[in-house]
Amino acid sequence: MNGVDFGHRVVVARGPGPLSVRFGARTALVCAGLGLTALAVAVLGLGTGEFEVPPGEVIGALAGQGSGATRLVVVEWRLPRVLLALLVGAALGLSGAVFQSLLRNPLGSPDVIGFNTGAYTGVLVTMLLVGRDYHQTAAGALAGGLLAAAVVYLLAYRHGVHGFRLIVVGIAISAILASVNQWFVIKVQLQLAVAAAIWGQGSLNTVTWEQVPPVAVAVALLTAGLLALGPRLSLLAMGEESAAALGVRTERTRLLYLVIGVALTAVATAAAGPISFVALAAPQLARLLTRTAGVALAPSAVMGALLLTTSDWLGQRLFAPTQLPVGVVTVSLGGLYFAWLLARPMRKAAP
Amino acid sequence: MVVAEGRPGVSAQRPAGLAAGDAGRSGVLLLLVAALAATCVLSVAAGTRTIALGTVWDAFAHFAGTEEHVIVRELRVPRTLLGLLAGAALGVSGAVLQAVTRNPLADTQILGMNAGAALFVVFAIGVLGLTGIWSYVWFAFAGVAFATVLVYALGSIGRGGATPLRLTLAGVALGAVMSGASAGIRLVKPRAFDYLRFWDVGTLAGRPAQIAVAVAPFVVLGLGLALAAARSLNAVALGDDLARTLGAGVVRTRVLSVLSVTLLTGAATAAVGPIGFVGLMVPHAVRRIVGPDQRWILAYTMICAPILLLGADIAGRMLIRPAELQAGIVTAFLGAPVLIWLIRRRAVSGR
């Protein structure tokens, strides 16, 4: 505790040499709380289903003990899904925080630059022309999404990319792609349209172990990239001129953040489909809880992971044996939680 | 908060857009009215079967009951009227929404309106088993009204009342819950999915003349309310506090605007389905032409939006004769390039 009074408790940890970390006490507490809740939900998710395992045995099985059957179910069948939910949720929360800070708009999300709509177009085309296999759909989604994002960036580029211009061009291109998607959906057979719609909601139903390592590596690398950029994101969120005055090379930094944000979304979309709302809601939910001025990366990531893990568990259990696509639950659950946070009597920091 | 809201009302740095001065703006407006009239005539004459203008005149002046006369009176004229009403309603509701939420990304999705309409229509088709066009109409209208009331109520709870940010977040939250619910019903009931993939697109075709007559009073009332609120929306664009200082009734303006948006969106969505892009795009484009004054923006939007919707409808009829492309699909293809051109036009645009 030293120096400036920020109006909230701040902890500064100084390491050897130039390393030091400063974080708000409340933010740290919220992160820890959300993280523990997410882990608790994960353990719960590992234990419930057709074959019930009590939480104690789940932890035992994870540590390598317990009977063969228990370990088969918990580690081989359920663990990849839960891990992927945590990873994808964190990735979406991070990308949402990046986009909302960059675009300085609480409605900013990867959708804004056309990624999800493009990914949907990619999947529809792939399903129609190539096939409906998991890897084919993932590849189609990646290609479509990245292509759409690149087109938006290039069309918005003119002596640099201005945040607002990026948003408007993104809206325009998304609208065109959405029309293409709608045209596909009314032209193709009903069966294919339903399959595409299920993919379009986002689902973790077909996850196996082989999908986890690539996602984990990608998310870890991108997170490292974000950390390496340091506090520049919150400086950019203060506005172009202020950031430049504080020594941020705005154009280059923004491009780097955009690439990381799009890559995070791409990883999540390829793994689980375009799960909507997590990227939009997680940063704002985290902000309401931590009561920080702007959206922050770490709380958004943890909140995203918690949201997605909980939603996936509920999606499996609510109408069992019918499994709802996780995206359907994310929007309902996240939306209700959001509504509750808004309706809660505000003490100090009304948004 | 750091995530600053965009402010469409003050978005252009220089107050004047393409058309400077009131004389210039009035001149361009007259030209646009002429263009709208020409579009209407074209909409009556053009189509799978092109009808000579003389015959169109005869259909009214000397009705002889020939096939062409019947086509004009029974199909083309109602369709054109519907396009006029729905176009103006969608455009103006978008303009008012963007002004009142002070967010250039706001559209009817944002206040959860389309989600509300979709939920009610899904319920009518999927659960109650209704399929007639008249059941869509009133269910869609009721859905929009239901969603708006709910969002406004949630947004007004707590200190500070319904600020633009709270309204936006409440809309996002409740809209998400409702769209999650309707997606759930759709995926469980393939029959509803099949009907709804067509409703989702939005079209002017196949609507009986009585629908235009039924929604007309709501549209007229909504447009009147919007115009009444226009002057104080200019003040609200400067922020609530400054608006109050300038003597504008902030709460009154907000209630008037939301009421107007509900009437307009409800009527339009009921009549032609959720065509989102018109309300999002036309106010943006218009703002680049006339500058930030809401009164001019509303007047221009009222003329330009029907031109876009009717133009899209005509193009949809002509492109793949004798089949038709739905107007909802074509609007984005016509509108998006214009929007991108406008936003790229100025080298260093205001925002």
Side-chain angles (χ1 to χ4, degrees):
Chain A
M1 301 241 75
N2 59 353
V4 192
D5 179 10
F6 291 97
H8 52 260
R9 288 168 67 90
V10 173
V11 181
V12 181
R14 293 190 194 286
L19 280 178
S20 69
V21 182
R22 187 183 66 79
F23 49 89
R26 188 181 171 93
T27 310
L29 267 177
V30 168
C31 282
L34 289 175
L36 286 177
T37 322
L39 288 183
V41 175
V43 169
L44 197 66
L46 288 173
T48 44
E50 294 280 295
F51 182 81
E52 298 279 343
V53 186
E57 281 183 41
V58 169
I59 294 169
L62 289 179
Q65 295 148 2
S67 70
T70 315
R71 284 180 51 196
L72 177 72
V73 169
V74 171
V75 179
E76 293 298 320
W77 293 354
R78 291 186 189 152
L79 188 57
R81 178 170 188 157
V82 169
L83 279 181
L84 211 62
L86 286 170
L87 283 170
V88 168
L92 288 170
L94 280 176
S95 78
V98 168
F99 275 96
Q100 293 183 11
S101 304
L102 273 189
L103 304 173
R104 303 208 294 140
N105 194 309
L107 297 180
S109 76
D111 307 8
V112 165
I113 63 162
F115 186 90
N116 284 354
T117 339
Y120 202 11
T121 314
V123 164
L124 280 166
V125 172
T126 318
M127 280 186 169
L128 200 63
L129 300 180
V130 188
R132 291 197 220 165
D133 167 40
Y134 180 89
H135 295 283
Q136 288 163 340
T137 358
L142 270 183
L146 293 178
L147 207 63
V151 167
V152 168
Y153 189 83
L154 288 178
L155 277 176
Y157 194 90
R158 180 162 183 171
H159 309 297
V161 165
H162 211 285
F164 187 72
R165 195 159 59 222
L166 190 68
I167 293 180
V168 175
V169 173
I171 290 175
I173 296 295
S174 301
I176 289 188
L177 288 173
S179 293
V180 174
N181 295 349
Q182 282 184 329
W183 185 76
F184 267 117
V185 167
I186 59 173
K187 286 296 166 195
V188 299
Q189 290 167 345
L190 182 60
Q191 205 192 1
L192 188 65
V194 173
I198 289 178
W199 180 87
Q201 291 293 336
S203 169
L204 292 166
N205 286 349
T206 53
V207 166
T208 55
W209 260 115
E210 58 174 298
Q211 287 140 29
V212 178
V215 175
V217 170
V219 172
L221 283 179
L222 292 165
T223 312
L226 279 179
L227 289 178
L229 281 168
R232 292 189 182 85
L233 189 62
S234 38
L235 296 183
L236 271 181
M238 287 160 55
E240 199 97 326
E241 290 83 2
S242 321
L246 289 167
V248 179
R249 294 161 70 178
T250 46
E251 194 54 47
R252 207 188 60 144
T253 316
R254 185 170 36 216
L255 180 59
L256 276 176
Y257 274 119
L258 264 183
V259 168
I260 293 180
V262 168
L264 281 166
T265 320
V267 172
T269 311
I275 297 172
S276 50
F277 204 66
V278 176
L280 196 68
Q284 292 297 323
L285 285 173
R287 193 181 63 80
L288 288 173
L289 286 181
T290 55
R291 307 216 187 111
T292 47
V295 296
L297 289 174
S300 309
V302 195
M303 177 57 93
L306 171 63
L307 256 181
L308 199 62
T309 320
T310 316
S311 305
D312 191 41
W313 179 67
L314 285 176
Q316 291 176 67
R317 304 309 322 153
L318 272 183
F319 298 101
T322 307
Q323 297 210 336
L324 285 177
V326 65
V328 172
V329 190
T330 340
V331 288
S332 313
L333 183 79
L336 284 176
Y337 185 38
F338 210 157
W340 176 76
L341 272 184
L342 275 173
R344 197 177 53 142
M346 293 290 162
R347 266 184 300 163
K348 204 161 127 195
Chain B
M1 60 183 297
V2 177
V3 254
E5 305 140 47
R7 292 189 176 175
V10 289
S11 65
Q13 225 163 34
R14 276 170 290 175
L18 272 178
D22 280 356
R25 291 193 191 110
S26 313
V28 176
L29 189 61
L30 276 180
L31 282 180
L32 285 171
V33 171
L36 178 59
T39 315
C40 288
V41 172
L42 197 61
S43 168
V44 175
T48 307
R49 172 190 259 180
T50 307
I51 295 171
L53 290 183
T55 321
V56 172
W57 172 253
D58 283 346
F60 294 99
H62 320 283
F63 184 62
T66 65
E67 199 183 340
E68 295 198 328
H69 286 182
V70 173
I71 290 180
V72 168
R73 286 177 70 136
E74 301 290 318
L75 296 177
R76 298 274 173 85
V77 169
R79 189 167 175 168
T80 308
L81 274 180
L82 198 63
L84 265 179
L85 286 170
L90 289 167
V92 169
S93 77
V96 173
L97 260 181
Q98 291 176 8
V100 82
T101 58
R102 293 201 287 261
N103 195 317
L105 296 189
D107 63 355
T108 44
Q109 304 272 10
I110 291 309
L111 287 193
M113 294 171 150
N114 286 353
L119 179 61
F120 273 50
V121 172
V122 168
F123 186 76
I125 296 172
V127 180
L128 303 181
L130 304 171
T131 50
I133 186 133
W134 283 101
S135 48
Y136 292 10
V137 171
W138 299 118
F139 271 95
F141 207 131
V144 170
F146 171 79
T148 320
V149 169
L150 215 59
V151 167
Y152 198 86
L154 177 64
S156 336
I157 299 176
R159 252 165 54 109
T163 58
L165 182 65
R166 289 182 61 86
L167 269 185
T168 311
L169 293 179
V172 171
L174 290 175
V177 179
M178 290 187 282
S179 65
S182 63
I185 301 182
R186 267 180 222 219
L187 291 178
V188 182
K189 305 241 177 199
R191 209 173 69 95
F193 182 92
D194 200 14
Y195 271 104
L196 280 157
R197 58 181 175 157
F198 292 97
W199 182 79
D200 272 340
V201 175
T203 176
L204 300 180
R207 304 281 192 260
Q210 290 90 329
I211 287 193
V213 177
V215 299
F218 298 103
V219 175
V220 171
L221 187 59
L223 291 178
L225 286 177
L227 290 177
R231 187 190 281 272
S232 26
L233 279 177
N234 274 338
V236 170
L238 301 172
D240 287 357
D241 296 337
L242 196 50
R244 254 182 224 112
T245 325
L246 291 171
V250 173
V251 173
R252 204 194 61 140
T253 311
R254 205 168 279 145
V255 171
L256 267 185
S257 312
V258 170
L259 194 62
S260 146
V261 169
T262 311
L263 288 171
L264 293 172
T265 315
T269 313
V272 301
I275 301 183
F277 191 58
V278 177
L280 195 60
M281 177 257 166
V282 175
H284 267 297
V286 160
R287 207 171 293 125
R288 307 236 139 221
I289 299 174
V290 298
D293 189 338
Q294 289 299 333
R295 291 168 295 179
W296 282 109
I297 292 180
L298 288 185
Y300 267 67
T301 305
M302 213 178 279
I303 307 299
C304 290
I307 295 183
L308 175 64
L309 191 58
L310 281 174
D313 187 43
I314 297 169
R317 278 184 251 165
M318 305 302 287
L319 279 177
I320 50 166
R321 282 200 283 187
E324 288 194 6
L325 270 177
Q326 283 78 357
I329 289 180
V330 188
T331 37
F333 278 93
L334 284 187
V338 178
L339 187 60
I340 293 177
W341 175 74
L342 278 168
I343 191 100
R344 282 180 61 89
R345 209 181 51 84
R346 247 187 269 162
V348 189
S349 61
R351 287 179 58 113

